[in-house]
Amino acid sequence: MEWFHDFDWKIAFLEKRIYLMRQHNWAFAAWEIERLKGNLQPKSLVVHVDAHLDDTPDGVFVPGLHEAQSVEQLITVAQGHDYASGRVCPPDCMQIDNFIWAAVARDTIGETIFVSHQDDEVLSLEMLSYDAVHNRNENCQNIIARLPEDCSYKHQRYMDVPAFLNECDDQAWSPKQTKILDLDLDYFNLSEEIEPKLMPEAQIRDELRALRNLHQWDVITVALSPEYCGGKEEAAYLLAIFLETFELDVVAGQRW
């Protein structure tokens, strides 16, 4: 379990365009790298399956965000914070909850389908724009200023995978829009307390299988988030189920 103590641990199965990472901030880098390769188009759709919404907008302020044009520069931009180090998180840092809006700012993401049991309202472009204009909120004004001029970012919201699958019709999705499955394994931990409460194994397998088979995904990103899964053992258990369901061998992955 080398990934538990290495906040920068991340591996990729490049032929399948599947990226695994300990910390979710690296999903931003994976998306942008695949866009550099031509495998993702601007304004892609991301299906974000996570215990948390990860819709904090301050990702738009990460230094070098708009200027990054190479893999090396994108890795630098996506570098997160090692919370175990005891050091104070630097300002304007890519974090595990602000990477989606960072990708919106680069026009890589145009729509997010949130599948999360976090009981909060999703931050929308309309909310930001209203506060920027009507409430003269300076922070919102600065966020809007860092978005594309033609930004029309939108979202949908579901509380869990069954609800999403019940209403989802991937045939209605625009064929011109590239699609990303973004999964955080902590989605399968239903507890908001210290003690984990993982879904039954059969349900985990069924939902993973359904997500895998729902669409021919252009890119898949998966975060382990062990602290939010309940700990090292719980994360290892969920990772093993994911790897088996998606027919992957972690040894075959490449560090990136």
Side-chain angles (χ1 to χ4, degrees):
M1 301 182 191
E2 61 174 326
W3 43 263
F4 188 75
H5 297 288
D6 182 1
F7 273 58
D8 293 332
W9 182 89
K10 50 194 182 299
I11 64 171
F13 304 88
L14 296 177
E15 290 187 1
K16 296 187 175 184
R17 300 179 199 162
I18 299 178
Y19 291 77
L20 271 64
M21 60 211 68
R22 187 198 196 280
Q23 299 294 94
H24 215 156
N25 49 286
W26 292 115
F28 166 84
W31 303 342
E32 297 296 338
I33 289 170
E34 287 298 325
R35 183 177 174 185
L36 279 181
K37 294 178 179 179
N39 295 323
L40 287 178
Q41 299 300 316
K43 295 180 173 57
S44 291
L45 165 70
V46 58
V47 176
H48 176 73
V49 182
D50 195 321
H52 308 95
L53 295 173
D54 296 346
D55 63 341
T56 304
D58 59 11
V60 304
F61 299 123
V62 175
L65 179 70
H66 290 284
E67 295 78 14
Q69 298 297 326
S70 68
V71 171
E72 293 75 18
Q73 290 171 333
L74 290 167
I75 292 293
T76 298
V77 170
Q79 182 68 52
H81 178 65
D82 183 347
Y83 296 94
S85 67
R87 297 190 302 271
V88 176
C89 183
D92 307 335
C93 177
M94 186 76 73
Q95 301 191 46
I96 58 175
D97 64 352
N98 66 7
F99 59 93
I100 294 177
W101 276 97
V104 173
R106 283 179 59 96
D107 207 28
T108 298
I109 300 302
E111 180 178 2
T112 302
I113 298 177
F114 291 92
V115 183
S116 174
H117 35 260
Q118 181 177 345
D119 191 19
D120 289 311
E121 185 177 5
V122 176
L123 178 67
S124 68
L125 179 62
E126 290 74 19
M127 292 164 63
L128 283 172
S129 299
Y130 184 91
D131 279 348
V133 175
H134 296 280
N135 296 330
R136 300 185 182 278
N137 185 302
E138 185 176 354
N139 186 55
C140 291
Q141 292 172 351
N142 290 335
I143 292 170
I144 295 293
R146 285 163 173 77
L147 299 178
E149 289 186 6
D150 65 342
C151 185
S152 57
Y153 176 65
K154 58 184 179 180
H155 76 270
Q156 301 176 50
R157 170 67 192 274
Y158 300 93
M159 296 302 293
D160 54 42
V161 168
F164 165 59
L165 295 173
N166 186 55
E167 296 187 32
C168 172
D169 178 9
D170 73 311
Q171 299 302 311
W173 292 348
S174 170
K176 297 180 180 180
Q177 192 176 35
T178 43
K179 318 296 190 304
I180 302 164
L181 173 62
D182 179 53
L183 171 66
D184 194 321
L185 296 181
D186 70 4
Y187 166 81
F188 299 107
N189 179 17
L190 300 176
S191 175
E192 296 182 359
E193 308 298 332
I194 296 176
E195 290 297 321
K197 181 183 178 182
L198 300 187
M199 291 181 188
E201 181 176 336
Q203 182 180 353
I204 296 171
R205 292 183 182 276
D206 286 347
E207 293 192 9
L208 282 174
R209 192 177 303 111
L211 289 170
R212 181 196 66 188
N213 297 334
L214 176 63
H215 191 78
Q216 187 65 41
W217 304 102
D218 295 284
V219 176
I220 297 175
T221 47
V222 182
L224 276 61
S225 303
E227 291 83 3
Y228 295 100
C229 289
K232 181 193 301 185
E233 299 300 327
E234 288 77 9
Y237 165 76
L238 293 171
L239 175 60
I241 295 176
F242 168 81
L243 292 170
E244 182 178 336
T245 304
F246 279 71
E247 301 178 342
L248 301 170
D249 182 354
V250 71
V251 177
Q254 301 179 36
R255 293 296 295 260
W256 60 285

